[in-house]
Amino acid sequence: MNIKKYKLYLIDLDGTIYNGEKEIKYAKEFIEYLNNNKIDYLFLTNNSTKDPKDVVKKLYDLGIQTSEEHVYTSSEATKAYLIKKGYKDIYIIGEKGLKETLSSFNQHLDSNNVEAVIVGLDRELTYKKLTVATRSVLSGAELIGTNPDTLLPTAEGFIPSNGGQVKYLEHVTSTAATVIGKPNRIIMESAMNLFNYNKDDIVMVGDNYDTDIMSGINSNIDTIHVQTGVTTIDQLKEKEIQPTYTIEDLSKLID
């Protein structure tokens, strides 16, 4: 298979570079190839609980050398969205990574004068937090979800992810949320705007059709499906819109 060479690779992490705490074969070699050839790339993650330095440390522990400038999280895309909207006063449901990324905003503890409610995964979620968020949205604040993921894989199995929290608040407030992360275009456009490439020169690489591949399709860029994670080749064949390429592993992208 003759695969086009791109100037910017947007790369998923879980299922593409690693599975849990285990590096996926050829991930290290692929990133080395990009580094050695000075090809631009950006790890794109929906995870709002981690900041770039946490991602870099995890990759380093797996033997993969990269830097924070190559990591773009849903928290950072949320920050860019808030700046674009001109918001200053926010209420956050989320963990350390999200709160630190949004530290330049006025983070309220109640529903007074809140312009936006930001919802990221919060493993210490309480009814009080949901109440403050609900009252803020009912008072006119924009409801923003960092990502729509329903499940989060852990060493002990799946746990609820952020999508359920967002859906709860959508239901009780009868308000549709603005969702930042994959497969939505907001995170994609925000990431691509960091560079000066035409869309023909950009590709999205990932294992999950419903998030990674659809994020590329929704953004009108090429896509490369890697058969190392969630979506199998048989499941892929059932999809109406196919990725630009599907490959067994990342070795197929290395010269």
Side-chain angles (χ1 to χ4, degrees), residues 13-209:
L13 285 168
D14 209 333
T16 303
I17 299 298
Y18 52 69
N19 277 321
E21 301 303 318
K22 184 178 180 181
E23 178 218 343
I24 291 176
K25 192 175 182 181
Y26 298 117
K28 176 183 177 181
E29 290 81 358
F30 176 52
I31 302 307
E32 285 179 347
Y33 164 75
L34 296 177
N35 287 333
N36 292 338
N37 289 278
K38 298 185 177 355
I39 299 170
D40 283 325
Y41 67 94
L42 204 60
F43 292 116
L44 229 56
T45 175
N46 272 0
N47 191 336
S48 66
T49 67
K50 306 291 185 185
D51 59 24
K53 68 175 179 293
D54 295 323
V55 175
V56 169
K57 183 182 183 305
K58 177 169 183 174
L59 292 171
Y60 179 82
D61 291 343
L62 294 173
I64 298 172
Q65 302 289 329
T66 190
S67 58
E68 292 181 33
E69 67 182 7
H70 292 295
V71 180
Y72 199 67
T73 68
S74 61
S75 296
E76 293 181 294
T78 299
K79 179 179 180 179
Y81 178 81
L82 293 173
I83 292 172
K84 183 178 180 181
K85 295 284 285 190
Y87 293 145
K88 293 181 175 62
D89 297 284
I90 63 176
Y91 178 72
I92 298 176
I93 288 178
E95 299 184 4
K96 180 181 176 183
L98 179 60
K99 291 179 178 179
E100 288 185 349
T101 301
L102 302 183
S103 61
S104 60
F105 296 88
N106 300 322
Q107 299 184 18
H108 291 245
L109 299 177
D110 56 38
S111 57
N112 294 326
N113 302 314
V114 172
E115 297 171 290
V117 171
I118 319 303
V119 185
L121 177 62
D122 188 338
R123 284 165 286 196
E124 294 183 356
L125 182 65
T126 64
Y127 192 74
K128 181 178 180 180
K129 293 178 182 179
L130 290 169
T131 298
V132 173
T134 297
R135 288 174 176 169
S136 299
V137 174
L138 291 176
S139 296
E142 182 175 0
L143 177 59
I144 300 171
T146 59
N147 62 291
D149 302 51
T150 55
L151 294 172
L152 180 68
T154 71
E156 293 77 31
F158 287 108
I159 63 172
S161 191
N162 189 45
Q165 298 176 166
V166 176
K167 287 295 184 184
Y168 177 95
L169 289 168
E170 284 186 319
H171 181 70
V172 299
T173 63
S174 299
T175 302
T178 299
V179 182
I180 303 296
K182 299 176 292 184
N184 298 288
R185 292 181 59 182
I186 296 176
I187 190 172
M188 300 295 290
E189 297 293 338
S190 183
M192 290 187 288
N193 285 341
L194 297 173
F195 301 86
N196 191 29
Y197 292 124
N198 294 324
K199 287 192 173 184
D200 288 346
D201 295 321
I202 305 172
V203 67
M204 179 69 210
V205 183
D207 69 294
N208 189 323
Y209 181 90

Side-chain angles (χ1 to χ4, degrees), residues 12-16 18-19 24 149 151 153 158 206-212 225-236 239:
D12 174 55
L13 285 168
D14 209 333
T16 303
Y18 52 69
N19 277 321
I24 291 176
D149 302 51
L151 294 172
F158 287 108
D207 69 294
N208 189 323
Y209 181 90
D210 294 328
T211 55
D212 305 321
H225 168 255
V226 189
Q227 302 160 23
T228 53
V230 172
T231 306
T232 66
I233 188 66
D234 289 335
Q235 292 171 330
L236 188 68
K239 303 297 183 180

Side-chain angles (χ1 to χ4, degrees), residues 214-230:
M214 281 307 303
S215 67
I217 291 171
N218 290 338
S219 302
N220 298 314
I221 62 172
D222 284 355
T223 53
I224 299 175
H225 168 255
V226 189
Q227 302 160 23
T228 53
V230 172

